[in-house]
Amino acid sequence: MNGRADACRNTRRPRGQCTPWAIGLFASIILAGTRIALASTTATPIAVTTGYYHSCAIVDGAAQCWGYNDFGQLGDGSVIDRSSPVTVTGLESGVTAIAAGAYHTCAIVNGGVKCWGRNPDGEIGNGATIDSHVAVAVSGLGSGVSAIALGQYQTCAIASGAVKCWGWNAYGQLGDGSTTTRTTPVAVSGIAAGAQAISLGGYHGCAVVGGAAKCWGNNFSGQLGNGTTSQNLTPVDVSGLGAGVTDVASSFSSSCAVVSGSLKCWGANDKGQLGDGSTTQRLTPVAVSGAATGATVVSATGLHTCAIISGVARCWGYNILGELGNGTNNSSSTPVAVTLTGIASVSSIAAGYLHTCARVTATGNVAQIRCWGNDVNGELGRSSPLQQFSPVAVTGLGSGSGIGALATGSTSSHTCAVVSGAARCWGSNGSGQLGNNTFVDTNMPTQVSTLASGVAVISGGGSHTCAIVSGAAKCWGLNTNGQLGDGTALTRTTPVAVTGLTSGVTAIASGLAHTCAIVNGGVRCWGRNPDGELGNGLTVDSHVPVAVTGLTSGVTWIAAGAYHTCAVAAGAVRCWGWNSNGQLGDGTLMARSTPIVVSGIASGATRVAAGGYHSCAVLPDGVRCWGYNADGELGNNTADESHVPVNVSGLGTGVSALIGGGYHTCAIVNGGVQCWGYNLEGQVGSGNQNDALAPTAVIGLASGAVSLGAGQYHSCAIVGGVDKCWGSDFQSELGDGRLDHSTTPVVALPHSDVIFANGFDGT
């Protein structure tokens, strides 16, 4: 199975970081590997665990969490992201260990286990499959628990020396000899006693039993360490680690262990995460360079690994966002020292998906949590989220010896423009979506092969791009669902002709994995179709264009969202496809495989825009929006979802362009740009990172704007022939040669005719 597809099968909801259109550069890495969190009352370093995009700590016996919270994984009874720590409801005391998974969290409380957050696969262990925003007791584990570990969608615990697991089990990661998902704990085969430590990766687990290491589950990269790549539904011995193992850490596709003070790792090594100075996959353990003695604890992710070696925090592997903490973004296949100034000792370290945290004792015997790396969801625990290449202190935790165990937790973006008839793109390129015959990302605009002239319109989807060239449609990039329309499923790094669309194409719009075009006044779509996004009455993918039912003429505008499509025909707005948040605007949550008329907009509309899970339209008296609204995407001064159109506050006449980004919206109003909605990366352009529930002026763009583009977390506009972008830049989508988000516009191209981005719509 495809790991990302499996991971997203139950989480396809707004702002779920697991949604396929947010795959990006890290598509092959599903989860920052999670590991043990042992109860301890001594000065021995406390082991740590990692999750996805959130972090947790124990402070004076209470559990506190911060970061991403769409599934309630922070445990404060809400689904509101927090950039500063909040106390988990009901866990104000008695917490001795805490562990964070992809979107759920668990803690040992007075010897028993309580969990909260995502639960479609039973990962919180209470016999149900409903998310919980507060801590609930795990069935049958009320006492005697000494360690817990969380994987992507599974959980394990050591209780009286036995290992018990629950949650998703498609790869045998529960170790009970089956692939049956469990909503309550089951015993891991052969480990009824003697377990000392445990760790879970994306789809596998490892444990220390009687000083030896045993692993089970998925093994496609050799992460079980037994010299093979064969899956095992029950534990197998790790080769060459017969005794002396004291700690173990599992990432998505690799594992590491502390063996008599030395460090050894095995499995995937494409980013140097095994630390042996190479990027060669290893099916059995290899020694980590410079770590022959003095290692006490290790923490692994899919991309980087960290450990405490002779009292010093060291990390190795991938480092694009500063997750190694050495003040640079240079990756390393051998350990490098974390820049921790003004501290006396490090007692625990936790490697998150794209960030890392450590418990340190600073000068004056003051305990702190310091974090570094990615901070998109507030995972560094600071009131003003900002990526950090060196450690910074988490704010709001206080200080002192009460800070104990720690848990940390953790898309594709590209932009394109038409310049004097030529197509130029920049940003993420893992699927060839830049069209320059490579798979290499670039932070500066690059020429699309063969498109040096004749380009009128360009539109980017999740990981593909399409353009109108002299009236014909051409596409390039990812093609697994046929979204390039050339009759194949072959990924293309240079433009190919869309079958049958050699002339008459006047507009084109790209969604996550589908594309639609206006051809001689009618609409044709191709690509992904399980939710009816092609509008032909079926739910089967098509690798060539098919006619949308009922839209054969008179169509003047089209827009594609993540999994839905909208069009303007004779002034009426019609939408079809997925409808989980009311993005079709018909007052229901029913998916539609043929177009329906949006409530109240049967005439008068001139433009339509589709964001990830919301839609908007321009009417003579202003703008109306509908669908998902948790971050203010609808612009009506509320955060209430609406399944029918609502008026955008303050926008009357004068709207000449409208664009929907992932979770935000922008418009050109009397020549100035205004945006609203989700703003953690500065995509609203207001100079801060606060969500905007109503239209807000983009700083420096008060007049002269003629075209808009929006990506998942960034926005662009052309003003006076200059392309300016703002928001996320983690995959170079701003195109100004930096790798740092901007809350105000920066220049990407000095001369542009048209700008589009991968926000599923352009004007």
Side-chain angles (χ1 to χ4, degrees):
M1 297 183 182
N2 177 278
R4 172 60 71 163
D6 293 342
C8 295
R9 71 201 192 292
N10 291 323
T11 61
R12 190 154 58 90
R13 63 178 68 185
R15 210 148 58 81
Q17 296 287 346
C18 191
T19 52
W21 65 289
I23 291 173
L25 179 63
F26 311 113
S28 64
I29 306 298
I30 306 300
L31 173 67
T34 59
R35 53 174 311 279
I36 60 175
L38 294 173
S40 176
T41 57
T42 72
T44 302
I46 299 171
V48 296
T49 187
T50 63
Y52 214 165
Y53 295 99
H54 70 294
S55 310
C56 296
I58 300 174
V59 183
D60 294 326
Q64 295 196 15
C65 298
W66 59 95
Y68 186 56
N69 196 31
D70 266 19
F71 301 89
Q73 57 265 49
L74 303 190
D76 67 339
S78 80
V79 290
I80 301 171
D81 293 357
R82 308 287 188 176
S83 59
S84 296
V86 292
T87 300
V88 177
T89 302
L91 300 191
E92 293 83 7
S93 63
V95 181
T96 54
I98 194 165
Y103 303 107
H104 73 294
T105 316
C106 296
I108 299 176
V109 188
N110 299 318
V113 182
K114 293 191 175 185
C115 299
W116 57 96
R118 184 191 184 277
N119 196 38
D121 297 293
E123 50 262 66
I124 65 176
N126 65 337
T129 54
I130 300 173
D131 295 354
S132 179
H133 304 164
V134 295
V136 296
V138 175
S139 300
L141 291 183
S143 62
V145 179
S146 59
I148 51 174
L150 275 65
Q152 186 163 9
Y153 303 123
Q154 73 271 19
T155 314
C156 292
I158 297 176
S160 301
V163 178
K164 297 188 175 184
C165 299
W166 58 98
W168 196 39
N169 196 29
Y171 296 94
Q173 56 264 52
L174 302 189
D176 68 339
S178 79
T179 55
T180 303
T181 291
R182 312 287 187 174
T183 60
T184 57
V186 294
V188 173
S189 299
I191 311 182
Q196 302 160 283
I198 189 170
S199 173
L200 299 182
Y203 307 121
H204 76 291
C206 294
V208 180
V209 185
K214 296 176 179 288
C215 299
W216 60 93
N218 197 10
N219 195 30
F220 65 91
S221 293
Q223 56 264 53
L224 302 190
N226 66 337
T228 77
T229 55
S230 300
Q231 173 178 296
N232 283 273
L233 307 184
T234 58
V236 295
D237 291 329
V238 177
S239 299
L241 301 186
V245 181
T246 56
D247 193 19
V248 65
S250 300
S251 77
F252 174 67
S253 54
S254 62
S255 306
C256 294
V258 177
V259 188
S260 301
S262 68
L263 276 176
K264 295 188 176 184
C265 298
W266 58 96
N269 195 28
D270 54 312
K271 303 298 181 183
Q273 56 264 52
L274 301 189
D276 67 338
S278 79
T279 54
T280 304
Q281 174 181 306
R282 310 290 187 176
L283 304 185
T284 57
V286 292
V288 175
S289 298
T293 61
T296 54
V297 64
V298 62
S299 179
T301 75
L303 297 170
H304 74 292
T305 310
C306 295
I308 300 173
I309 305 171
S310 299
V312 177
R314 297 182 181 273
C315 297
W316 57 96
Y318 201 52
N319 193 34
I320 190 66
L321 297 178
E323 46 267 66
L324 302 191
N326 66 337
T328 78
N329 63 348
N330 300 320
S331 298
S332 178
S333 60
T334 58
V336 295
V338 177
T339 306
L340 285 168
T341 58
I343 65 104
S345 64
V346 183
S347 59
S348 62
I349 194 165
Y353 182 39
L354 297 172
H355 77 294
T356 314
C357 293
R359 181 190 184 272
V360 303
T361 301
T363 303
N365 200 33
V366 175
Q368 293 179 342
I369 302 298
R370 293 194 182 183
C371 300
W372 55 95
N374 187 43
D375 199 23
V376 170
N377 300 284
E379 49 263 58
L380 302 191
R382 304 164 68 243
S383 57
S384 300
L386 182 64
Q387 168 189 340
Q388 297 289 329
F389 292 134
S390 298
V392 292
V394 175
T395 58
L397 283 178
S399 61
S401 59
I403 300 177
L406 165 72
T408 70
S410 337
T411 93
S412 171
S413 298
H414 69 293
T415 313
C416 297
V418 179
V419 184
S420 301
R424 300 178 72 179
C425 296
W426 60 94
S428 178
N429 196 32
S431 298
Q433 58 264 48
L434 301 189
N436 63 346
N437 203 28
T438 77
F439 292 102
V440 180
D441 296 352
T442 176
N443 58 14
M444 299 292 287
T446 182
Q447 175 69 51
V448 176
S449 297
T450 73
L451 298 189
S453 63
V455 181
V457 174
I458 194 164
S459 173
S463 294
H464 74 290
T465 314
C466 294
I468 300 175
V469 187
S470 301
K474 295 190 176 184
C475 297
W476 58 95
L478 189 67
N479 196 29
T480 53
N481 297 96
Q483 56 264 52
L484 303 189
D486 67 339
T488 77
L490 300 174
T491 291
R492 310 286 191 173
T493 60
T494 59
V496 293
V498 177
T499 302
L501 301 189
T502 58
S503 63
V505 182
T506 55
I508 197 162
S510 305
L512 162 67
H514 76 289
T515 314
C516 294
I518 299 176
V519 187
N520 298 319
V523 180
R524 293 180 175 267
C525 298
W526 57 96
R528 186 187 186 278
N529 198 35
D531 299 294
E533 46 264 71
L534 302 190
N536 64 337
L538 304 176
T539 55
V540 180
D541 292 356
S542 177
H543 297 178
V544 295
V546 294
V548 175
T549 302
L551 293 182
T552 58
S553 64
V555 180
T556 56
W557 208 270
I558 192 164
Y563 302 102
H564 74 290
T565 317
C566 295
V568 177
V573 177
R574 299 174 182 266
C575 297
W576 60 97
W578 201 39
N579 198 26
S580 61
N581 298 92
Q583 56 263 52
L584 302 190
D586 66 340
T588 78
L589 295 177
M590 295 175 58
R592 309 286 187 172
S593 61
T594 57
I596 51 92
V597 176
V598 173
S599 297
I601 312 184
S603 63
T606 57
R607 298 170 182 259
V608 65
Y613 303 91
H614 71 288
S615 310
C616 298
V618 179
L619 288 99
D621 58 349
V623 177
R624 297 181 189 175
C625 295
W626 57 96
Y628 185 64
N629 194 36
D631 309 293
E633 290 86 337
L634 305 190
N636 65 337
N637 261 317
T638 78
D640 299 326
E641 187 170 287
S642 178
H643 305 158
V644 295
V646 295
N647 291 323
V648 175
S649 300
L651 290 191
T653 60
V655 178
S656 59
L658 186 67
I659 189 78
Y663 307 101
H664 70 291
T665 315
C666 294
I668 297 177
V669 187
N670 297 318
V673 181
Q674 298 188 35
C675 297
W676 58 96
Y678 187 52
N679 193 36
L680 187 57
E681 289 303 312
Q683 56 264 53
V684 171
S686 57
N688 60 50
Q689 293 169 289
N690 302 320
D691 292 353
L693 302 185
T696 302
V698 175
I699 292 176
L701 300 186
S703 63
V706 296
S707 187
L708 288 174
Q712 186 179 5
Y713 298 125
H714 77 291
S715 312
C716 297
I718 292 178
V719 184
V722 176
D723 170 19
K724 295 186 176 182
C725 298
W726 59 98
S728 174
D729 196 30
F730 291 120
Q731 292 184 269
S732 305
E733 50 265 54
L734 301 191
D736 66 339
R738 307 171 310 126
L739 274 174
D740 192 8
H741 71 249
S742 179
T743 59
T744 57
V746 296
V747 174
L749 273 171
H751 303 288
S752 297
D753 303 322
V754 185
I755 177 72
F756 295 96
N758 65 328
F760 314 117
D761 179 34
T763 57

